[in-house]
Amino acid sequence: MNTDSRVPPRDEVVLRYLLERRAAEDPERVFVVFDGGPVWTRGELLEQVRRTAAQLQSLGVGQNDHVVCWLPNGPEMMRFWFAINYLGAVFVPINTAYRGGVLSHVLDNADAEVLVGAAELIPRIDEAGSPERLRRVIQVGGTERCSLEGPDVVTVDEIAETQHVLVEPAEPVEPWHTQAIYYTSGTTGPSKGVLCSYMQSWAGFSPQAMPFLTRDDRFLINMPAFHVGGSTLVYAMLVNGGSVAVTARFSGENFWRQIRESDSTAVFLLGVMAQFVERRAPAPDDARNPLRTVFTSPLIDDVAGFAQRFGVDVYTIYNMTELSAPIVSGPNPTLRGTCGKVRAGVEVRLVDEADREVPIGDVGEIVVRTDAPWTVTHGYYRMPEATAKAWRNGWFHTGDSARRDAEGNFFFVDRLKDAIRRRGENISSMEVENEILAHPKVREAAVVAVPGEISEDEVLAIVSPVPGETIDPVELIRFLEPRMAHYMVPRYVRFLSELPKTPTAKIQKNVLREAALTEDTWDREKSGITISR
């Protein structure tokens, strides 16, 4: 019996029991609308999940087993994900862009005997070298069965014919059990499998943490399920009694069509997504839409203008795969660059390299701990050293830096690995990027460090112009000069039509750093442009 009031009952937290509860409450209420696809009520979703769970069980999947899902957003991803958790097994979604050595590492690390994969992706398993533990691949789509050297391949149509009576889990699925393993991008080393419990998924988006998300909301999911910005928000709406609209991916061109056709009231816009929406040509019907709530991370510059133009409330948030949304803003924050204040149930400190708290206003690493158990990751799977490094002195170390004002507002500065040091000064790449993005002809921007001739770093800005526009690097520098400290003004500028991105729309700074100073990179100093102090 649970006697800890900080841990809610199973049917408020654990997917299996929560789904059954929602279906029993109102089986005809719509839970998910797929863009260009079916609409499932709560009752229909439960029926799909139970049928799929029986099929997985017939293949030997049981409680606590790891099952890899290598699928794009859509009905197949949702029913297999929910079915995996319905059995008490562990959902392991992986990036649909994986191939080669990265794919080999992740499949080996995941310890899964069964993989559910899209037909067009499955041949990459042989190319990467199938791990010995993987014994069965369930093929989704395709006109012919894929052939692999190691594991057997069975199609979804074949397992749909399986007659199997669903057997209940041997033990109840508990809030502290592992729900999922999410793999981080691994830009500084091998991708790490982040262990996430049901409690962690629940804590950041429960009614207590996000009271403005209600049963009347429909959240547009435009992030992939292998990213917590996709899957956790689906779970959040199950927790809050609302519904979701699922799209294959974010599309600036189709965004408002998807919002209106799905009657979505809430959306999360990560990074450049918000810029695409904001820079769309104004239209008379901009505010005539069902949207009420927009999360952006990082916070857009003109919050008031965005809120008024589209008739929405804007929120921002600080989160990462390992956490449960510890910092959240109120509606329409007026402080530029804030990521909000610490929510109830969480402690956040900013510390130096010795874990000493830094003074208010100074930059320090964000470290986190929570009041309730299991609401932060319980480790990196099969990576004890990485787990120990992150969990030091009783606090989870994020690897992110921020500063805080006297009122408790936090301002994200940078990933520690992305920080730039030039002329004895520390530079936030994000702050430089924000000023570059203020230029009307700039569509996207990324700032990275490149080695200086003597020591420390020089600043390289990689800029993507608005389609049809050309940017003069001298004019860009003159635009930036009055907007930032002299040492922050980029020395180098390179123009690309499109910046390299991950499938979750994050700019791949590691790729840009590796390319460094290409032949087409403009050098301010060689052009004779000086910056006054």
Side-chain angles (χ1 to χ4, degrees), residues 2 4-5 7-14 17 21 174-175 202:
N2 175 26
D4 190 337
S5 60
V7 180
R10 295 181 192 126
D11 68 352
E12 292 183 18
V13 180
V14 177
Y17 311 121
R21 174 185 161 194
E174 300 289 3
W202 170 86

Side-chain angles (χ1 to χ4, degrees), residues 251-486:
S251 167
E253 182 179 351
N254 294 318
F255 178 75
W256 287 111
R257 175 192 65 78
Q258 293 167 343
I259 289 288
R260 292 185 172 98
E261 288 184 1
S262 65
D263 203 26
S264 292
T265 62
V267 71
F268 177 53
L269 298 174
L270 178 66
V272 296
M273 294 178 180
Q275 295 165 28
F276 286 140
V277 173
E278 190 175 24
R279 293 193 174 189
R280 174 178 174 267
D285 64 345
D286 275 346
R288 292 197 294 272
N289 66 76
L291 206 55
R292 293 197 299 262
T293 302
V294 176
F295 289 90
T296 71
S297 180
L299 185 65
I300 55 178
D301 281 346
D302 186 9
V303 172
F306 190 100
Q308 182 176 12
R309 176 182 171 186
F310 298 113
V312 298
D313 282 330
V314 177
Y315 294 79
T316 192
I317 191 171
Y318 169 76
N319 198 24
M320 60 191 302
T321 307
E322 292 88 338
L323 304 178
S324 50
I327 301 174
V328 184
S329 77
N332 306 319
T334 56
L335 290 173
R336 186 182 182 197
T338 185
C339 49
K341 294 184 176 182
V342 179
R343 68 169 176 82
V346 180
E347 292 180 76
V348 176
R349 297 169 63 226
L350 300 180
V351 301
D352 63 15
E353 63 279 359
D355 275 5
R356 298 172 298 183
E357 194 155 2
V358 301
I360 289 175
D362 284 6
V363 174
E365 182 182 6
I366 302 170
V367 297
V368 178
R369 68 182 180 189
T370 54
D371 292 349
W374 303 99
T375 51
V376 176
T377 181
H378 46 289
Y380 297 110
Y381 187 62
R382 293 176 58 192
M383 290 188 173
E385 292 183 3
T387 301
K389 183 178 179 181
W391 276 108
R392 301 194 307 275
N393 299 324
W395 295 77
F396 182 82
H397 291 63
T398 65
D400 289 338
S401 61
R403 59 177 178 269
R404 180 187 59 197
D405 67 16
E407 287 71 46
N409 299 290
F410 282 78
F411 302 82
F412 179 83
V413 173
D414 224 330
R415 287 292 294 168
L416 292 178
K417 68 177 185 293
D418 289 336
I420 303 169
R421 186 166 179 83
R422 181 170 185 262
R423 306 293 194 268
E425 301 282 357
N426 292 317
I427 299 172
S428 163
S429 63
M430 191 182 78
E431 289 179 339
V432 180
E433 289 161 1
N434 286 341
E435 299 302 338
I436 296 173
L437 289 167
H439 192 288
K441 292 183 180 180
V442 173
R443 176 170 166 259
E444 299 176 285
V447 169
V448 298
V450 292
E453 290 99 336
I454 303 174
S455 63
E456 296 189 321
D457 301 321
E458 292 288 356
V459 181
L460 166 63
I462 304 94
V463 177
S464 171
V466 171
E469 296 285 359
T470 301
I471 303 173
D472 176 16
V474 176
E475 190 273 328
L476 177 62
I477 295 300
R478 294 308 184 197
F479 173 83
L480 295 174
E481 190 173 1
R483 303 176 70 94
M484 60 179 63
H486 68 281

